[in-house]
């Protein structure tokens, strides 16, 4: 795990300067002690909602203090914020002043512009073996309870085995029943799940819970059609950029596990509510939900202990699939709905990787395949000669912009593409906004371009004879940036990318060695994940992140974990396939692999 690093945007901070970590953007800034948060945030080039322009009358600039010291609450804040908000650390950015180093969360509703989130993925064929089915029934006439009248009608339909008394009678907004009209009985494995108006859709939700981002999909369980999709940042970021820090948080803070679960589930609930609004349905119409995530996020969502994941041998509390009543984990959807958690493979190869593999194998017929899901923790699987080998690579959060001098996540103003032509530097930013920092794909491009022009050597050392040029490379000068500071790439930034790409490449090489095959035997390399969607493959190959294979052997599939979650939602056979994938995987623990240090050392070379 990398040590936490919070460098200042200002390259020459004074003794009176403090550092502020702005989450979930991943921006680190240096300001004078006593600066109002709204000024600090704007100095970083970030736009937040402040209708009253910072006069303290609108209450729109709410932020949350996670760590550090701010000035005491003002009378304006006590008047606009509820006692519960004050207890939760909510402050108004226009009123609060930073007194010392601190970490501040900017909620999505406060940001004037949103971070780019990857929710698109593979479009998979629909499997016609749904877990939840519909049976349209016209209740018998009479004054008996609805369940009794349904039971009578079911006997006449030769479906007496169905017990409607277990079904929840829908009271969702807009769903009304009329005497003498048919109703729709939703069945789960033949048991009554819900009683809906005739023709009402059967709706489910699939959620990919990433370390950094959450992606959710509202799905018609009858057709497999995605009715709505959306993404938000995982609010747990404020308590640690990676899962190791979040595990540590649960151990060091009483009630930490419950807090992280609550923040995560509340965010999922809010995201599902947004999707339901898009699709003009009620959350109480969601009859089933699939939740995938790495093993730590899986455990945190399910309320399982995570202590064993923080120390060797990194054992999960459970690996088998779980089916838990949704209300038990805090989700307010249909009362009888369940939350399904697919199986985990190991402590750092979780259900999200299983879902990704389930989706990826739908689009490949190759015999030897590498499947790589790049993130804060990167999972790699190799399929060869009927065997499945997998490992987990501690790639760290550098590809999310963390531990980079002016790194940030893929929000407006983040440099995402870099091209050098002689002494000219061409950059592209997210949203074409003025540059305020650089995200992972931009750092990768910059390192690859510097290596192409031999401005850095294979060790990542600047080759210039100028002492100043050997410390940092200017990507955007202060006069052209959005925060009036040079946007630079430092030697340490290059080292962070070397560590991240070295972790991934060494994992790939060790799986190939375990299978006893050279890299050129690989027929297809599938690259998944949000970062994997936006990375420039030519840049990745130039610095040696992947084996030097022809570009046509690579396939970038976007959020395949989300696509796999949708498949698991709508198909019983997909859930059996997920069990088989997890049970047949041969997990390779890199930290105990003989020769790992040598593999990693070689993989650091650019």
């Amino acid at each position: 795990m990398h040590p936490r690093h919070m460098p200042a945007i200002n390259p020459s901070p004074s003794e009176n300067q403090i550092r502020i970590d702005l989450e979930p953007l991943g921006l680190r800034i240096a300001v004078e002690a006593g600066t109002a948060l709204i000024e600090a945030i704007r100095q970083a080039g970030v736009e937040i909602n402040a209708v009253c322009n910072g006069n303290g009358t609108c209450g729109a600039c709410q932020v949350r203090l996670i760590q550090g010291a701010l000035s005491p609450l003002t009378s304006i804040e006590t008047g606009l914020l509820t006692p519960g908000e004050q207890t939760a650390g909510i402050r108004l950015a226009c009123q609060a002043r930073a007194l010392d180093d601190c970490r501040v969360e900017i909620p999505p509703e406060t940001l004037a512009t949103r971070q780019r989130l990857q929710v698109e993925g593979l479009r998979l064929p629909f499997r016609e073996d749904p877990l939840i089915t519909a049976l349209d029934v016209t209740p018998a006439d009479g004054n008996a309870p609805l369940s009794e009248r349904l039971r009578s009608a079911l006997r006449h339909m030769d479906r007496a085995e169905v017990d409607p008394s277990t079904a929840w009678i829908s009271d969702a907004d807009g769903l009304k029943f009329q005497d003498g009209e048919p109703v729709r009985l939703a069945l789960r494995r033949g048991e009554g799940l819900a009683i809906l108006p005739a023709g009402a859709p059967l709706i489910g939700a699939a959620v990919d819970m990433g370390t950094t981002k959450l992606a959710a999909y509202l799905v018609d369980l009858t057709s497999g059609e995605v009715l709505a999709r959306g993404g938000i940042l995982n609010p747990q970021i404020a308590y640690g950029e990676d899962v190791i820090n979040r595990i540590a948080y649960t151990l060091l803070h009483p009630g930490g596990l419950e807090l992280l679960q609550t923040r995560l589930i509340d965010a999922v609930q809010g995201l599902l509510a947004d999707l339901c609004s898009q699709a003009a349905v009620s959350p109480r119409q969601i009859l089933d939900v699939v939740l995938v995530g790495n093993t730590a996020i899986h455990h945190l969502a399910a309320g399982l202990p995570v202590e064993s994941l923080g120390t060797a041998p990194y054992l999960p509390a459970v690996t088998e699939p779980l089916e838990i009543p949704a209300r038990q984990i805090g989700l307010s959807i249909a009362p009888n709905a369940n939350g399904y958690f697919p199986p985990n493979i190991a402590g750092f190869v979780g259900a999200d990787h299983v879902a990704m593999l389930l989706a990826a194998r739908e689009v490949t017929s190759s015999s030897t395949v590498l499947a790589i899901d790049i993130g804060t923790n990167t999972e790699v699987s190799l399929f060869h000669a009927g065997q499945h080998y997998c490992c987990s690579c501690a790639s760290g959060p550098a590809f999310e912009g963390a531990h980079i001098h002016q790194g940030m996540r893929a929000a407006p103003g983040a440099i995402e593409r870099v091209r050098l032509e002689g002494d000219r530097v061409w950059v592209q930013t997210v949203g074409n906004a003025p540059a305020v920092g650089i995200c992972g794909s931009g750092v990768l491009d910059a390192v690859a371009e510097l290596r192409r022009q031999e401005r850095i050597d294979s060790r990542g050392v600047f080759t210039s004879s100028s002492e100043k040029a050997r410390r940092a490379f200017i990507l955007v000068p202060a006069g052209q940036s959005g925060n009036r500071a040079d946007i630079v790439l430092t030697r340490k930034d290059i080292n962070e990318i070397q560590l991240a790409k070295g972790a991934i490449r060494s994992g790939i090489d060790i799986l190939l060695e375990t299978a006893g095959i050279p890299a050129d035997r690989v027929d297809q390399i599938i690259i998944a994940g949000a970062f994997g969607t936006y990375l420039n493959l030519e840049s990745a190959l130039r610095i040696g992140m992947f084996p030097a294979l022809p570009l046509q052997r690579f396939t970038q599939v976007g959020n395949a974990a989300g696509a796999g979650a949708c498949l698991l939602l709508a198909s019983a056979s997909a859930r059996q396939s997920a069990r088989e994938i997890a049970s047949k995987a041969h997990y390779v623990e890199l930290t105990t692999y003989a020769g790992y240090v040598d593999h990693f050392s070689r993989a650091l070379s650019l």
Side-chain angles (χ1 to χ4, degrees), residues 215-362:
Y217 309 82
L218 209 61
V219 179
D220 185 316
L221 298 176
T222 304
S223 66
E225 178 189 358
V226 176
L227 305 175
R229 55 170 56 86
I232 58 173
L233 291 164
N234 186 335
Q236 292 178 336
I237 291 171
Y239 304 91
E241 290 169 337
D242 52 47
V243 294
I244 293 297
N245 275 311
R246 293 180 206 176
I247 292 168
Y249 184 89
T250 68
L251 301 178
L252 296 173
H253 297 81
L257 176 63
E258 293 77 10
L259 174 63
L260 290 187
Q261 184 197 29
T262 298
R263 292 300 308 277
L264 175 59
I265 296 300
D266 284 353
V268 170
Q269 182 75 51
L271 180 53
L272 294 182
D274 286 345
L275 299 189
C276 286
S277 178
Q278 292 178 37
V281 298
S282 165
R284 289 173 68 83
Q285 290 177 253
I286 298 176
L287 303 174
D288 200 14
V289 60
V290 170
L291 302 112
V292 305
N294 64 52
T295 310
I297 300 297
H298 165 288
H299 281 29
L300 289 170
L304 298 171
V306 294
E307 182 175 2
S308 62
L309 295 174
T311 55
Y314 311 108
L315 297 176
V318 297
T319 54
E320 64 271 15
L322 301 176
E323 197 160 353
I324 305 172
R327 62 180 179 274
Q328 184 175 313
I329 60 174
L331 282 177
S332 296
I333 51 179
N336 289 348
N338 282 340
Y340 175 77
F341 294 83
N344 297 305
I345 293 176
F348 286 96
V349 181
D352 56 344
H353 190 60
V354 173
M356 185 275 276
L357 295 175
L358 186 68
R361 78 180 193 175
E362 296 280 333

Side-chain angles (χ1 to χ4, degrees), residues 455-474:
R455 298 191 184 207
I456 56 175
D457 60 23
S458 62
R459 300 167 300 161
V461 176
F462 287 108
T463 57
S464 173
S465 58
S466 164
E467 182 178 348
K468 181 178 179 181
R470 288 176 64 86
R471 292 198 302 268
F473 181 81
I474 297 177

Side-chain angles (χ1 to χ4, degrees), residues 367-370 380-391 506-523 586-588 590 593 599:
S367 57
T368 300
V369 177
L370 267 171
V380 184
S381 279
L382 171 64
F383 293 89
H384 173 70
Q387 298 296 312
H388 173 198
Y389 309 91
C390 64
C391 68
S506 58
I508 293 171
D509 290 346
I510 285 172
L511 290 190
L512 292 170
E513 185 173 271
T514 302
I517 60 171
D520 60 12
R521 288 285 303 278
V522 177
D523 301 311
H586 173 59
Y587 175 67
V588 179
L590 298 183
Y593 186 87
H599 275 287

Side-chain angles (χ1 to χ4, degrees), residues 383-424:
F383 293 89
H384 173 70
Q387 298 296 312
H388 173 198
Y389 309 91
C390 64
C391 68
S392 168
C393 310
S395 45
F399 292 140
E400 295 287 351
H403 303 158
I404 303 299
H405 179 61
Q406 288 163 286
M408 61 184 294
R409 298 186 177 91
I415 296 172
E416 60 175 342
R417 287 283 181 266
V418 176
R419 175 73 179 173
L420 304 184
E421 294 182 4
D423 291 329
R424 300 188 67 181

